[in-house]
Amino acid sequence: MEEQEMGAKFEQKYVTNVYDAIAPHFSHTRYKAWPFVEHFLKNQPKWSIVADAGCGNGKYLGINPDLNMIGSDISESLINICKNRGFECMVSDCTNLPYRSNSFDVVISIAVVHHFSTVERRIQSLKELLRITKPGGKVLAYVWAFEQVDKKGEQRYKEQDVFVPWHLQKQYKKLNQEELPPGLVFDRYYHMFKQGELENLFKKCEEMNSIVETAFEKDNWIVVVDKKQ
Amino acid sequence: MRILTHNMLCCLKCDSFPLKIVAVNKEQDEQDENPEFIKHMLDRLDYDALKSAAKDLSIEGLPDALPENVAENQAALTSLHKLLLEVVVKDGELQCTNPACNRSYPIKQGIPNMVLREDEVKIKAV
């Protein structure tokens, strides 16, 4: 099996299937917008068309009613939650987006790229974000940082590629859900990004013009880039 | 699925655009008129794809070519209002019109499923 295919299969097991199983519980904990993303979206021109690729439970889709936001996610359970909240959304894969090129004013990818298990797939996902953006348009990507520390001030993760457990609360257990993991603990795969790493991946994308802004917020790295004219 | 979303979608296998809408179940979501919104959207959307969606959904009144000042064309505004703000496709499918491809994507309860099967991912139809 090729490396890319193995990567996709690995992510199916340790990312997509996990989100499908934990969606209602996950969604219940994900209501607060990250301040940087909220500020960014509230400052885009009225009626901009925005793609939220990997939109999760859709917490950003309604944050600025003056925008036309379209969400997509590989997890059908999360997309069902978005639809029930009245948002425009679809099921799709962030390494192969179903949009025509050069069509969105702004594209955001929040807490998505850290779920890809190979460098090639991370770059592929960034290339897709840039492909669907209009020339001169902006892309914002947000990923977990390796540099995060725990309450004692010690480095939380010893390695960059880790499983982060999700403890599913009993009341969120679906009745017909088979093969639940022991103790209802699900392992989600993450690649923790080091400072500068996301910028370096963007630099491998031919359609990127420049890095507009980089920030560190609440244990995450944020990079905003613009697309070539 | 709203038509603004349809205007962005293309075939994952062969990049064909626009996709044909086959609506089995659609709804009308009544909205206040907003000519300013329509005018701004026309600057951002693909007009031929809007016409194609209107044809698929039997919404009449869209001019062949976009009028220079759409704000003064009441017939065009009425059609565009219905198309962009009111029509919601609940169930049906999106079909690729490239005869060499013919892929179709289901829409269920308003949600298009735009994921290729594993065996389709690497094969690009020309």
Side-chain angles (χ1 to χ4, degrees):
Chain A
M1 212 187 298
E2 277 185 43
E3 200 186 334
Q4 293 317 304
E5 214 176 309
M6 278 174 65
K9 277 207 182 337
F10 177 85
E11 291 152 21
Q12 169 86 39
K13 184 173 177 190
Y14 289 107
V15 181
T16 314
N17 290 355
V18 176
Y19 280 110
D20 274 336
I22 70 172
H25 183 198
F26 173 82
S27 180
H28 196 72
T29 66
R30 294 297 190 277
Y31 50 86
K32 229 176 142 202
W34 293 118
F36 190 100
V37 184
E38 181 170 0
H39 182 260
F40 178 84
L41 288 173
K42 286 188 170 164
N43 283 282
Q44 297 306 320
K46 195 174 182 182
W47 297 323
S48 293
I49 302 177
V50 183
D52 183 350
C55 62
N57 68 344
K59 71 173 170 178
Y60 295 106
L61 296 177
I63 210 163
N64 179 355
D66 285 342
L67 301 177
N68 294 292
M69 288 194 72
I70 302 173
S72 69
D73 204 283
I74 191 72
S75 163
E76 289 188 37
S77 304
L78 287 172
I79 284 300
N80 286 334
I81 291 171
C82 295
K83 190 44 74 179
N84 289 335
R85 296 168 77 180
F87 298 131
E88 270 300 278
C89 55
M90 70 194 72
V91 183
S92 95
D93 179 342
C94 285
T95 62
N96 195 11
L97 292 170
Y99 305 120
R100 60 191 168 93
S101 302
N102 307 312
S103 53
F104 288 90
D105 299 299
V106 174
V107 177
I108 64 171
S109 161
I110 312 301
V112 175
V113 186
H114 55 221
H115 283 312
F116 293 114
S117 57
T118 69
V119 177
E120 290 74 18
R121 288 175 59 78
R122 285 168 212 142
I123 295 172
Q124 172 64 20
S125 74
L126 298 181
K127 283 184 174 168
E128 277 292 89
L129 302 176
L130 281 156
R131 178 184 67 77
I132 66 169
T133 307
K134 283 184 179 173
K138 282 197 183 117
V139 173
L140 183 159
Y142 204 104
V143 293
W144 276 23
F146 182 64
E147 289 81 357
Q148 49 188 299
V149 291
D150 60 20
K151 283 174 192 156
K152 292 179 198 156
E154 285 170 19
Q155 178 101 24
R156 184 175 283 151
Y157 298 103
K158 307 289 175 257
E159 291 170 64
Q160 277 190 276
D161 293 281
V162 292
F163 287 114
V164 177
W166 181 276
H167 300 266
L168 185 69
Q169 289 174 8
K170 281 201 186 83
Q171 70 264 34
Y172 293 107
K173 199 172 81 175
K174 289 184 217 157
L175 285 174
N176 57 354
Q177 205 170 293
E178 291 168 10
E179 294 177 40
L180 284 166
L184 296 180
V185 180
F186 290 83
D187 282 331
R188 277 177 306 163
Y189 167 79
Y190 278 82
H191 175 78
M192 303 291 171
F193 279 73
K194 287 187 175 171
Q195 180 166 21
E197 191 176 345
L198 186 57
E199 288 95 315
N200 285 336
L201 295 186
F202 266 120
K203 284 174 189 164
K204 294 188 195 304
C205 303
E206 281 168 14
E207 293 193 288
M208 187 194 77
N209 175 50
S210 65
I211 289 160
V212 177
E213 195 174 353
T214 299
F216 184 80
E217 177 184 270
K218 314 235 183 219
D219 296 336
N220 294 277
W221 288 112
I222 309 153
V223 175
V224 180
V225 307
D226 61 350
K227 179 169 171 169
K228 281 179 184 164
Q229 283 290 345
Chain B
M1 184 201 70
R2 290 181 182 273
I3 302 312
L4 195 146
T5 303
H6 169 260
N7 205 274
M8 299 288 132
L9 293 172
C10 69
C11 180
L12 284 162
K13 282 181 83 177
C14 71
D15 298 336
S16 259
F17 171 80
L19 297 169
K20 181 183 162 76
I21 305 169
V22 180
V24 174
N25 176 17
K26 60 182 178 181
E27 280 178 10
Q28 188 94 359
D29 171 21
E30 299 251 330
Q31 298 283 332
D32 292 337
E33 289 209 353
N34 192 345
E36 207 196 336
F37 171 82
I38 302 283
K39 207 167 120 270
H40 277 83
M41 282 304 106
L42 289 177
D43 291 339
R44 291 185 155 94
L45 298 175
D46 183 285
Y47 188 66
D48 285 338
L50 284 179
K51 279 197 301 183
S52 156
K55 184 168 160 269
D56 297 341
L57 298 169
S58 310
I59 293 172
E60 288 170 3
L62 246 63
D64 268 351
L66 185 65
E68 292 226 340
N69 194 349
V70 75
E72 288 169 11
N73 185 333
Q74 193 52 49
L77 274 182
T78 304
S79 302
L80 287 164
H81 172 77
K82 208 183 282 181
L83 194 62
L84 283 173
L85 285 166
E86 296 195 328
V87 169
V88 181
V89 179
K90 289 282 177 191
D91 297 286
E93 59 180 35
L94 295 165
Q95 292 176 344
C96 176
T97 56
N98 170 5
C101 178
N102 270 332
R103 178 64 151 97
S104 72
Y105 304 88
I107 304 171
K108 284 179 191 155
Q109 292 172 334
I111 303 172
N113 188 311
M114 305 299 293
V115 182
L116 293 180
R117 294 188 312 270
E118 215 174 294
D119 59 309
E120 293 176 301
V121 174
K122 280 178 232 153
I123 312 154
K124 279 241 172 192
V126 182

